[in-house]
Amino acid sequence: MNSAAPLHHQQSRSYVGKRQPRVEDEALLRGLGRYADDLAVPPGTLHAAVVRSPHAHARIQRVAIEAALQIPGVRGVLTGEDVKRWAAPFPVGVRQPMEHWCLAVDKVRYVGEPVAVIIAEDRYLAEDALESVEVEYDVLGVSIDPEMATNDDASVLHEAVGSNVVNDRYFNYGDADTAFEQAAHRLSLKVRYPRSACTPIECYVVLGQYDPAEGGYDVMANFQGPYAIHSVMARALQVPANRLRLRTPPDSGGSFGIKQGVFPYVVMMGLAARKVGAPVKWVEDRLEHLQGASSATNRVTTIEAAFASDGRVSALRFDQLDDCGAYLRAPEPATTYRMHGNVTGAYDIHHLQVRNRIVMTNKMPTGLNRGFGGPQVYFALERLMQRIAVTLDLDPLDVIRRNLVPTQAFPYRCSAGALLDSGDYRRGIELGVEQGGLEALRQRRESARREGRHYGIGYTVAVEPSISNMGYITMAQTPEERRRAGPKNGAVSTATISVDPLGSVSVHVSSTPQGQGHRTVAAQVVADVLGIPLESIRVDVELDTGKDAWSIASGNYSSRFAGAVAGAVHNAALKIRARLDAIAAQQWQVSVEDIRFGDGRIYTADGVHSTSFQRLAGATHWAPGTLPESETGGLRETAFWTPAELTAPDDDERINSSLCYGFIFDYCGVELDSLTGRVTIDRYVTLHDAGRMLNPQLVDGQVRGAFAQAVGAALYEAFHYNEDGSFASGTLADYLIPTTVEVPDPTILHMETPSPFTPLGAKGVGEGNNMSTPVCIANAVADALGDAVEPGAIELPLTPSKVRMLMGIEEPPRPEGVAEENAQASAGGGSKLSASDSVEIPASPQQVFASILDPDTLKAMIPGCHSLELTGDNAYRADVTVGVGMIRARFDARVELTELEPPHSLRLSGAGKSGMGDAAGAAKIRFSEIEGGKTRLDYDYEVTVGGKIASVGGRMLSSASKMLIGQIFSRLSQRLSGSTSKGSLWQRLRALTGKRGGDQ
Amino acid sequence: MYVRLDERYRVTLTLNGRERSAYAEPRTQLCDFLRHSLGATGTHVGCEHGVCGACTVMVDGRATRSCLMLAVQVEGRRVETIESLAKEGEMGDLQRAFREHHALQCGFCTAGILMSCHEFLGRVTDPSEAEVRDMLSGHLCRCTGYTGIVQAVLAVARARQNNRQEAP
């Protein structure tokens, strides 16, 4: 292999390994980025809105679209019937009779599941029409908790499977049973890792087109890969892969794995376009994103260690229950197996047993999410290591040190098959301790504790895998099933470099970045190999499966860019250089070894011959006849690169699940507020060995970004489902993403042990802190809480209320004058709220009482009431539109007046169903006469909501209910005081009672 | 201004120093109007409920969430977006500082963050880090961990301070 950097020319710049401002930035900073929703659409493009299930589990009886089709501007509705006609279910990663279609065809299995697509002339009209699609559901029991979902009496999501456990695998490496028998100590810990997601700020965007002449789909989407899923989409659309042209926009507003989950919508909008014979665009909104896009997999782990009195661990047992939600969506169950080969972390542990089960629950399907499988594994493993230290009364860092993979052992084969490529873990710990100031941190803890403050230190070591082996996904199958299916392995990277007739260089990579700066790093690599200025190179990262070089491992995931894609770029540049070497050597009649590249020139080492890069490269276009015979003319090279180390799983179930394994050592100090339970991160130190750093500034950017997301996962973020499966984290006011004031600046330390397996020695670095930081913070909180707390009770996110409970702090009394208001889970699930209030009305109790019994008044009182029809004694059927937060729903409601005690009290109750979920409310109203002939109404009310409405969360529910109920009485007041124009009732009442009303 | 739900109105405003106008329904959000009717796609929409801050623009000199405002509300008013920050094709000091300090990755939230910073630095000439973090707490960024953004804002404040002292 030729050396990459020109050695001869002293002035020649080299770029790799240096801080380099990004070529991406200027366009983005000037507002000239081209994200998916910024791109021009073809004339006549229509817009989609998705009708979604308000129920977590229900059989679909009927989908009525006639009313929607009558609405001006609506051009069509795509339903499950169309999908059954034109498409197929998505292929599933385990052999089970489960069907997942892009639209629900028989049952809905989570709140937010797509049921139909409205296609209209603009997005506003499409969203208006959502409520006109009438879906009749037969509501079924739900399975929400993953452990309960495994019970025999649990409600089963996929009846044909017969159970919610769709995959159950057991692995045994070494002789764990004997090691457990012989060990001096054993310790078991059960932990739960919650659901959260890295939630990009840009949501999904898809533009679907269908060409009936070719029978092909052409879809633009902010998809991130892996492009193995292109095959999944093409199969679902029932077309050959060359009839699904999938394109990505030039810029993407973040992904972190999440935009892998756009793929069902790629299929859906392709079909929508086919349905209406026009391009169809869909832009997801935030509520849709939070409730229906994608989530990390929640996991219940029981982990057990056998260890000696010095803390040395001889064996581990993992029992992992992964909750993948309602469908096993490709590439799941990859979360479970991404870490499989290196599930023993940074430790030298020889005996290992692993049981992995995949369970289906009535929650949104899971998928890629930065850290993918890592946070779940390390939360169990590193919490266990902390517990071992506490049990033996040892320093946790000593227990970590004693178990590390020894430096001389690299490359080290882990018991489950990972080949740890390089590292020096012990030196990493020493560097981190010295440069991060651990001693000072310990002193801070001492002085804090002397003052009676709750301060703790947590440690974590982690191995950060990068460049996934496509074969690890087949670990969900038995060796026998794998043999029948044929081997799957590897990870093919591609890069193309072309030089045009004027000698300028264009690079294309199929890594579909979402902000990481791939264009900059690719240009750095090419500039060094070809000896040309970085600014002269243009890197294109759009991926068009109809034109570009790509493979199943294309895309942006498993931190594969620096190690694999930049390596492919390097190799493509070397191919270009080899051709130019040969051309120059022939022209100058010198040996290729004498040719040098630098400063935009190609020259001989002795300085006799020299020409500009452009001139020599341009000759391949302008004068192919002058080239050596080996030359074909033109100058374009594509490099495909796949590492030999990524072999298929063997019959002993060993798998090298990734190519590279970086090392991370983290520690932090946290303080718990003794009144509020708030966790404050005092200091955080994170040391990374990601092999050779291609651009240190971008490396630090990745570390900081991952760290901030991990702080969110550790302390704030979780997708919350009520018992009935309604989703309660549907806004960014309920799903709390940390801001500048919550994210401290971590101390970042580096060391570099280059990977022997990647062309540039680089490893991935983008996901490490997502894996290491949540458990590091949890360990610090555990240290601060001390022994009194049940170890398994330390669950993420460590919100103030949870920590307060763990600390045993009593809720302080409510300040005087603050009304009682309870938002809580109701008996049947959903969200429930009760509160009281009062209002004064300028009329006597008799008048007010009589007017409430009057249907016209009642109709006028209810905000958004379209019609009110008497169905019995003081009982009505009402058609009401109610808006709560972002949601507007039209209810078919029953309203009743009962417990009538004129003129003292009555009960007003209502219950309704809508496409957005159910709601019920009741108010006990008491009437008392106050001075001035007025009435005071005191009312206690209760409101319960379920379905999508619950997803706007308790916070908004409380204020919205207060406002709505307030509106009911202020409307009554208005009506009685005659301030509304149609207030003839008041005149009637006045005539009836012979009294004068107030003149407000 | 009285409006009818089913009618479209011509809204005229000053966008980035130029008078512009286009038709909008009364319910059209300002962010959609700027992006899709006026072509100012530099402003991004992240949540449509006022939390993420990506859609922040300046209306009559004040940083404003354009997802919480209707297009008809800016009739006759002055609106500035990220596209206004480069003068004569050259990036301003704030934009250059963002590049220098790696204060952006995907760049999607950046449009709104720049507008808030732009307004803030016009009001507060010598901010502390705590003040900068407090100002930025109205924005969500998922890529950067915020460090670079805070550094960039502080660097610009310092540089402007120095320039003022050098040129009395």
Side-chain angles (χ1 to χ4, degrees):
Chain A
M1 192 182 285
N2 293 337
S3 118
L7 303 170
H8 168 80
H9 239 235
Q10 287 180 344
Q11 304 100 313
S12 186
R13 276 195 67 178
S14 70
Y15 295 94
V16 170
K18 298 194 179 126
R19 188 179 181 280
Q20 171 68 43
R22 305 193 320 162
V23 300
E24 288 87 347
D25 287 354
E26 179 155 355
L28 303 180
L29 286 164
R30 293 177 59 178
L32 305 174
R34 285 175 301 147
Y35 301 87
D37 190 29
D38 302 339
L39 303 179
V41 295
T45 295
L46 301 176
H47 299 265
V50 181
V51 176
R52 291 171 186 273
S53 169
H55 301 292
H57 198 191
R59 204 166 295 287
I60 297 173
Q61 299 295 2
R62 195 172 70 97
V63 180
I65 60 170
E66 297 72 24
L69 292 171
Q70 298 308 310
I71 296 174
V74 172
R75 294 272 294 274
V77 179
L78 184 79
T79 67
E81 290 302 311
D82 302 311
V83 170
K84 273 199 279 191
R85 187 162 69 245
W86 290 329
F90 297 111
V92 181
V94 299
R95 285 170 196 283
Q96 291 286 5
M98 295 191 282
E99 286 191 352
H100 177 207
W101 301 75
C102 69
L103 285 179
V105 298
D106 56 345
K107 271 172 56 165
V108 288
R109 295 179 174 88
Y110 65 99
V111 168
E113 180 168 358
V115 174
V117 182
I118 307 267
I119 305 144
E121 280 159 11
D122 74 38
R123 189 178 169 194
Y124 286 63
L125 289 172
E127 290 184 8
D128 283 348
L130 286 176
E131 64 186 31
S132 64
V133 173
E134 232 182 282
V135 187
E136 269 178 39
Y137 295 101
D138 182 6
V139 177
L140 304 167
V142 299
S143 288
I144 298 298
D145 178 82
E147 288 179 283
M148 283 159 69
T150 65
N151 293 344
D152 289 342
D153 60 351
S155 168
V156 173
L157 276 79
H158 299 273
E159 283 100 341
V161 179
S163 160
N164 289 323
V165 178
V166 298
N167 192 247
D168 188 349
R169 294 234 51 217
Y170 177 77
F171 305 90
N172 191 16
Y173 306 98
D175 186 0
D177 288 337
T178 307
F180 269 92
E181 268 167 38
Q182 293 173 351
H185 303 272
R186 298 165 170 211
L187 186 68
S188 167
L189 177 69
K190 182 172 177 179
V191 294
R192 289 174 183 79
Y193 198 88
R195 281 189 164 222
S196 61
C198 291
T199 54
I201 304 298
E202 179 195 42
C203 294
Y204 293 165
V205 180
V206 181
L207 173 69
Q209 299 186 70
Y210 177 68
D211 174 2
E214 271 211 337
Y217 297 89
D218 183 341
V219 185
M220 185 282 297
N222 47 9
F223 178 62
Q224 70 140 55
Y227 276 74
I229 291 175
H230 183 275
S231 314
V232 171
M233 295 183 262
R235 293 232 183 114
L237 286 168
Q238 299 186 305
V239 292
N242 65 6
R243 297 295 195 279
L244 170 58
R245 181 175 181 183
L246 181 62
R247 299 193 248 191
T248 58
D251 294 300
S252 178
S255 175
F256 324 110
I258 295 297
K259 282 175 181 161
Q260 164 259 329
V262 73
F263 81 83
Y265 298 98
V266 168
V267 171
M268 193 189 298
M269 296 307 149
L271 297 174
R274 182 168 178 175
K275 175 85 181 184
V276 292
V280 174
K281 180 176 174 181
W282 172 67
V283 179
E284 181 188 50
D285 72 24
R286 183 56 59 181
L287 170 60
E288 292 183 285
H289 187 82
L290 288 169
Q291 72 172 1
S294 198
S295 162
T297 301
N298 54 305
R299 175 178 295 175
V300 183
T301 305
T302 304
I303 183 169
E304 193 179 4
F307 53 100
S309 300
D310 64 352
R312 185 76 179 90
V313 177
S314 54
L316 283 178
R317 284 186 180 132
F318 282 85
D319 183 336
Q320 307 187 111
L321 178 64
D322 273 11
D323 173 359
C324 287
Y327 298 96
L328 199 60
R329 203 170 60 180
E332 293 288 29
T335 304
T336 321
Y337 290 98
R338 193 265 177 112
M339 302 294 288
H340 190 83
N342 57 288
V343 74
T344 42
Y347 305 123
D348 177 33
I349 298 172
H350 298 272
H351 307 292
L352 173 69
Q353 287 173 351
V354 182
R355 184 190 187 190
N356 289 332
R357 282 173 299 161
I358 311 298
V359 66
M360 300 281 101
T361 62
N362 294 106
K363 303 208 275 285
M364 97 173 100
T366 60
L368 266 56
N369 189 56
R370 195 173 185 177
F372 201 50
Q376 295 90 333
V377 162
Y378 290 120
F379 192 78
L381 181 59
E382 295 298 302
R383 286 286 300 119
L384 182 75
M385 296 305 275
Q386 195 258 359
R387 291 302 307 157
I388 290 173
V390 170
T391 309
L392 298 173
D393 199 21
L394 295 172
D395 181 340
L397 198 50
D398 287 337
V399 173
I400 287 173
R401 278 195 186 100
R402 279 170 201 160
N403 285 291
L404 291 174
V405 171
T407 304
Q408 64 279 8
F410 291 97
Y412 170 88
R413 182 72 70 178
C414 298
S415 45
L419 183 63
L420 304 182
D421 52 336
S422 66
D424 188 344
Y425 298 173
R426 288 187 181 163
R427 191 169 144 254
I429 301 266
E430 299 326 314
L431 266 180
V433 166
E434 279 164 35
Q435 296 182 5
L438 178 60
E439 204 36 56
L441 189 65
R442 283 179 170 148
Q443 280 161 17
R444 283 174 81 83
R445 177 172 64 181
E446 285 321 300
S447 55
R449 286 183 174 174
R450 269 199 304 274
E451 291 165 23
R453 283 147 55 200
H454 301 273
Y455 196 102
I457 295 178
Y459 304 89
T460 300
V461 290
V463 159
E464 178 184 359
S466 53
I467 311 173
S468 283
N469 183 349
M470 295 311 271
Y472 78 66
I473 297 162
T474 62
M475 293 295 286
Q477 300 166 8
T478 62
E480 178 53 34
E481 286 170 335
R482 286 199 298 267
R483 269 193 296 274
R484 260 184 280 137
K488 289 199 175 58
N489 69 290
V492 180
S493 304
T494 65
T496 300
I497 302 179
S498 51
V499 187
D500 56 55
L502 292 180
S504 51
V505 174
S506 300
V507 182
H508 178 267
V509 289
S510 57
S511 63
T512 55
Q514 286 91 15
Q516 297 92 333
H518 292 182
R519 291 176 59 200
T520 302
V521 178
Q524 286 178 280
V525 171
V526 174
D528 277 2
V529 176
L530 298 182
I532 54 177
L534 181 138
E535 298 71 29
S536 71
I537 298 165
R538 193 172 183 287
V539 183
D540 176 9
V541 293
E542 292 172 55
L543 182 50
D544 177 343
T545 61
K547 288 179 164 178
D548 298 320
W550 62 280
S551 178
I552 58 165
S554 295
N556 181 31
Y557 63 96
S558 79
S559 303
R560 60 192 298 283
F561 176 77
V565 179
V569 170
H570 181 79
N571 289 354
L574 289 176
K575 286 167 96 171
I576 295 278
R577 201 171 77 168
R579 286 180 57 187
L580 292 171
D581 270 339
I583 294 168
Q586 183 208 256
Q587 249 179 36
W588 296 330
Q589 293 298 306
V590 298
S591 153
V592 288
E593 282 75 38
D594 297 330
I595 307 292
R596 300 286 182 273
F597 287 67
D599 296 327
R601 301 193 68 79
I602 298 169
Y603 54 92
T604 50
D606 58 11
V608 173
H609 302 283
S610 175
T611 184
S612 73
F613 178 88
Q614 285 95 332
R615 191 178 172 87
L616 193 77
T620 61
H621 295 280
W622 296 108
T626 66
L627 304 179
E629 272 183 18
S630 60
E631 268 299 321
T632 53
L635 195 50
R636 179 189 180 100
E637 289 293 339
T638 295
F640 285 84
W641 180 76
T642 189
E645 293 78 13
L646 294 185
T647 49
D650 65 19
D651 284 351
D652 294 328
E653 308 256 35
R654 285 190 168 78
I655 172 73
N656 187 21
S657 34
S658 301
L659 179 66
C660 297
Y661 301 87
F663 176 70
I664 301 168
F665 170 44
D666 282 5
Y667 58 91
C668 67
V670 305
E671 185 166 352
L672 316 182
D673 188 296
S674 57
L675 184 65
T676 62
R678 182 187 172 187
V679 179
T680 304
I681 302 167
D682 180 31
R683 294 208 176 154
Y684 199 101
V685 177
T686 182
L687 173 130
H688 288 257
D689 180 355
R692 185 178 178 208
M693 290 190 280
L694 304 182
N695 183 331
Q697 189 179 37
L698 301 195
V699 169
D700 283 357
Q702 288 298 307
V703 170
R704 291 203 170 94
F707 172 72
Q709 290 177 336
V711 167
L715 300 179
Y716 308 102
E717 297 174 32
F719 288 137
H720 181 72
Y721 288 84
N722 295 317
E723 280 173 26
D724 67 349
S726 52
F727 180 69
S729 313
T731 75
L732 293 179
D734 298 282
Y735 186 83
L736 297 179
I737 294 172
T739 72
T740 27
V741 292
E742 285 90 27
V743 182
D745 196 13
T747 300
I748 303 172
L749 305 171
H750 297 290
M751 59 185 277
E752 294 183 76
T753 51
S755 173
F757 301 150
T758 61
L760 295 164
K763 309 183 185 189
V765 71
E767 301 177 82
N769 286 88
N770 295 75
M771 303 181 184
S772 59
T773 297
V775 65
C776 189
I777 292 173
N779 276 342
V781 170
D783 183 47
L785 288 169
D787 272 351
V789 171
E790 156 66 31
I794 296 172
E795 276 185 37
L796 305 183
L798 289 158
T799 56
S801 62
K802 204 178 286 172
V803 172
R804 215 173 51 202
M805 214 173 64
L806 293 170
M807 294 172 83
I809 305 172
E810 293 280 319
E811 176 84 14
R814 187 181 314 113
E816 225 172 291
V818 174
E820 188 167 358
E821 203 173 76
N822 289 320
Q824 60 189 51
S826 67
S831 285
K832 181 176 176 174
L833 171 127
S834 54
S836 349
D837 213 336
S838 67
V839 63
E840 286 179 15
I841 293 185
S844 71
Q846 289 81 0
Q847 292 164 350
V848 179
F849 199 96
S851 63
I852 291 179
L853 295 188
D854 171 64
D856 282 347
T857 310
L858 192 62
K859 181 176 179 224
M861 273 169 71
I862 301 171
C865 184
H866 306 289
S867 72
L868 187 79
E869 148 201 352
L870 196 68
T871 55
D873 222 14
N874 287 315
Y876 304 91
R877 183 174 180 174
D879 175 9
V880 189
T881 297
V882 182
V884 180
M886 291 177 295
I887 293 181
R888 208 162 57 99
R890 193 161 184 166
F891 286 90
D892 177 10
R894 312 278 155 175
V895 178
E896 258 189 317
L897 295 164
T898 51
E899 301 171 24
L900 304 179
E901 288 180 38
H904 304 295
S905 68
L906 63 76
R907 184 179 172 81
L908 172 63
S909 55
K913 285 187 185 307
S914 78
M916 300 283 173
D918 302 342
K924 179 79 180 178
I925 308 167
R926 293 181 304 280
F927 302 71
S928 42
E929 184 151 11
I930 54 172
E931 54 185 75
K934 298 184 192 172
T935 303
R936 196 177 79 214
L937 263 58
D938 289 290
Y939 52 96
D940 304 322
Y941 64 90
E942 259 186 22
V943 178
T944 316
V945 296
K948 198 189 276 188
I949 302 168
S951 67
V952 300
R955 195 178 322 214
M956 224 180 257
L957 178 65
S958 153
S959 55
S961 312
K962 193 177 167 69
M963 197 178 76
L964 265 175
I965 299 206
Q967 271 178 17
I968 293 181
F969 292 107
S970 73
R971 282 164 164 257
L972 174 68
S973 173
Q974 265 178 19
R975 196 167 166 90
L976 286 178
S977 64
S979 63
T980 53
S981 55
K982 293 174 186 169
S984 62
L985 176 81
W986 175 234
Q987 288 148 10
R988 242 165 54 207
L989 277 172
R990 197 162 52 173
L992 197 73
T993 57
K995 281 189 183 170
R996 282 183 63 85
D999 293 328
Q1000 286 100 333
Chain B
M1 173 176 187
Y2 288 94
V3 294
R4 281 172 51 98
L5 275 179
D6 53 351
E7 278 181 15
R8 279 151 58 90
Y9 293 83
R10 179 172 277 280
V11 176
T12 304
L13 70 155
T14 306
L15 175 64
N16 300 332
R18 284 181 59 191
E19 188 180 292
R20 296 286 306 274
S21 78
Y23 285 96
E25 284 180 45
R27 62 175 177 169
T28 305
Q29 290 173 317
L30 176 57
C31 54
D32 287 346
F33 181 70
L34 291 172
R35 290 175 46 76
H36 300 301
S37 302
L38 299 179
T41 54
T43 299
H44 300 142
V45 182
C47 75
E48 295 178 88
H49 56 275
V51 181
C52 80
C55 69
T56 304
V57 300
M58 304 258 280
V59 177
D60 287 345
R62 291 301 307 271
T64 303
R65 303 282 208 237
S66 64
C67 74
L68 296 183
M69 200 170 198
L70 299 171
V72 292
Q73 289 177 280
V74 299
E75 168 66 32
R77 298 172 76 175
R78 194 159 49 82
V79 176
E80 268 113 34
T81 63
I82 183 175
E83 287 93 341
S84 70
L85 295 178
K87 301 291 178 216
E88 292 159 9
E90 291 295 316
M91 291 204 293
D93 56 353
L94 185 61
Q95 291 162 303
R96 291 195 307 270
F98 265 59
R99 179 169 63 187
E100 182 59 26
H101 291 274
H102 193 27
L104 69 156
Q105 288 184 26
C106 81
F108 197 78
C109 68
T110 310
I113 289 179
L114 283 173
M115 297 319 284
S116 281
C117 294
H118 181 57
E119 188 217 26
F120 175 79
L121 289 169
R123 281 189 287 116
V124 186
T125 52
D126 187 16
S128 66
E129 181 177 332
E131 286 172 304
V132 171
R133 286 191 176 265
D134 183 60
M135 173 270 295
L136 288 169
S137 69
H139 291 271
L140 298 178
C141 167
R142 275 309 231 179
C143 294
T144 63
Y146 304 108
T147 303
I149 303 173
V150 173
Q151 288 171 350
V153 176
L154 288 170
V156 170
R158 267 195 309 274
R160 289 187 187 175
Q161 195 83 314
N162 291 341
N163 287 343
R164 267 189 296 273
Q165 280 158 8
E166 280 164 21

